[in-house]
Amino acid sequence: MFVGEELARFIQSEGHRVEMVADESGDRAELIFRARGYIFSVNVHDENPPHFDVATAYEIPPWARERAQNATALQDVANDVGGVRFALAANGKTFVVTLDCGSRPLQAFQSDFWSSVARVRDAGVSALERILDRSESRAAANKFITSLTRGE
Amino acid sequence: MDSDRLAPLELALEEEGLFCTRDDDADALRIAFKSEGDRYFIVSYRDDPNFVMVGSGWSLPEGADRERVARITNALNARKKFVKVALWEDENDVLFTIELCVGGAEEVRPHFGRLLDVLRDAATEFFAELRSA
């Protein structure tokens, strides 16, 4: 059985609905499921052993969508957290956080599946907080500078 | 009596992407479900339509110090919002419940994700404290 199907059964047995999209060759699949309000995807490459990565996306509020600054914030968090990578997507409206879980037997991946999901979620939350914090700091600084310029 | 008054919570579970099963009888309406492999339940009694309970139960590790367990339980009850922690079944299990008085389960639906988080956090904190030296 294709490893993606086995993993889908595992996620279902853990209580979660799963949608699986396999490519035509059948050696790659994306599994999509929800957990704690977030939508996650697991990419499975059916090698020997199979390769897995786990990802989710976060929306950046419109007022905080400054690509250069957000790219820096994401890189900072990636450096702090380790093991995850970030990418801005949809013209800077969202970012994707991905944990490369490497090539390993399915059972090994399943044994720490939820902790991998938690790592992705926590890294994403940290990144979003960093982006919002910087934006809010900048907004406050701008107000201050503006008021000084006006001589109030 | 509305036999399907937990239906809004079934929808909430569906929105959370979770499977669930129903197990109603003459006394109670029950939903069982799993999230991240952990088991949870929802109960409402037919003779008390305003009562809704969401909960999870866990076995205590063998040989757990009962006095210490009781202290941790009490501390969580004092500190955590919403959740009630109780030792159960000859004190071999610990039960985490959220008990609500509502006009209907529809009122719970928009907050269901938060309530699940509270249950998860309470269990995580309980066992982390139990494991700590």
Side-chain angles (χ1 to χ4, degrees):
Chain A
M1 188 198 307
F2 176 54
V3 70
E5 291 171 357
E6 279 189 65
L7 181 60
R9 283 189 193 181
F10 165 76
I11 296 170
Q12 285 170 347
S13 76
E14 296 282 276
H16 295 251
R17 297 170 190 274
V18 186
E19 181 188 337
M20 187 172 90
V21 182
D23 75 355
E24 286 182 4
S25 68
D27 62 0
R28 282 176 190 270
E30 183 183 22
L31 279 65
I32 299 162
F33 65 97
R34 291 178 68 94
R36 306 194 191 190
Y38 296 97
I39 296 172
F40 292 88
S41 71
V42 182
N43 280 291
V44 183
H45 191 180
D46 199 358
E47 300 163 323
N48 189 17
H51 184 274
F52 304 95
D53 63 49
V54 182
T56 191
Y58 289 78
E59 186 178 358
I60 301 170
W63 53 269
R65 289 175 185 165
E66 291 206 11
R67 290 182 67 96
Q69 183 165 329
N70 291 346
T72 304
L74 293 177
Q75 187 56 54
D76 289 348
V77 178
N79 293 339
D80 291 350
V81 175
V84 296
R85 62 179 188 272
F86 292 95
L88 285 167
N91 270 337
K93 293 176 183 170
T94 64
F95 68 86
V96 178
V97 52
T98 305
L99 174 68
D100 186 341
C101 299
S103 295
R104 54 207 298 219
L106 175 62
Q107 282 195 329
F109 177 64
Q110 286 178 178
S111 69
D112 58 9
F113 180 77
W114 293 112
S115 61
S116 299
V117 170
R119 278 183 70 188
V120 172
R121 183 175 52 239
D122 292 347
V125 168
S126 294
L128 192 58
E129 283 173 355
R130 188 82 60 101
I131 285 170
L132 299 185
D133 184 48
R134 284 183 167 217
S135 301
E136 285 169 355
S137 299
R138 189 193 61 247
N142 284 345
K143 273 187 206 167
F144 184 65
I145 291 164
T146 305
S147 68
L148 280 180
T149 309
R150 287 176 182 165
E152 291 172 354
Chain B
M1 192 69 62
D2 177 14
S3 64
D4 203 22
R5 60 174 187 259
L6 289 187
L9 295 183
E10 283 185 292
L11 290 173
L13 287 165
E14 196 172 323
E15 285 164 1
E16 292 282 319
L18 301 172
F19 294 112
C20 66
T21 57
R22 286 292 289 262
D23 180 22
D24 301 344
D25 61 24
D27 299 322
L29 309 174
R30 299 183 191 86
I31 298 174
F33 64 98
K34 288 169 84 175
S35 174
E36 300 182 15
D38 299 329
R39 293 174 191 281
Y40 297 86
F41 58 84
I42 301 169
V43 177
S44 175
Y45 299 112
R46 290 191 191 275
D47 64 357
D48 189 357
N50 301 116
F51 177 81
V52 175
M53 176 165 65
V54 188
S56 68
W58 302 73
S59 295
L60 286 169
E62 231 171 87
D65 177 347
R66 292 294 183 262
E67 202 173 305
R68 182 170 159 74
V69 166
R71 263 203 317 275
I72 295 168
T73 299
N74 191 47
L76 278 176
N77 276 324
R79 183 162 51 81
K80 298 295 283 185
K81 285 180 187 165
F82 304 119
V83 74
K84 186 164 103 178
V85 190
L87 302 181
W88 190 251
E89 296 288 342
D90 297 328
E91 301 191 344
N92 289 322
D93 296 336
V94 57
L95 197 62
F96 301 89
T97 56
I98 290 169
E99 299 180 7
L100 303 165
C101 183
V102 292
E106 187 64 50
E107 292 176 17
V108 182
R109 186 176 166 187
H111 309 292
F112 194 71
R114 180 179 178 187
L115 296 179
L116 272 186
D117 282 345
V118 170
L119 283 175
R120 281 192 199 98
D121 290 349
T124 301
E125 287 180 37
F126 178 91
F127 286 103
E129 184 64 29
L130 193 59
R131 279 191 297 268
S132 70

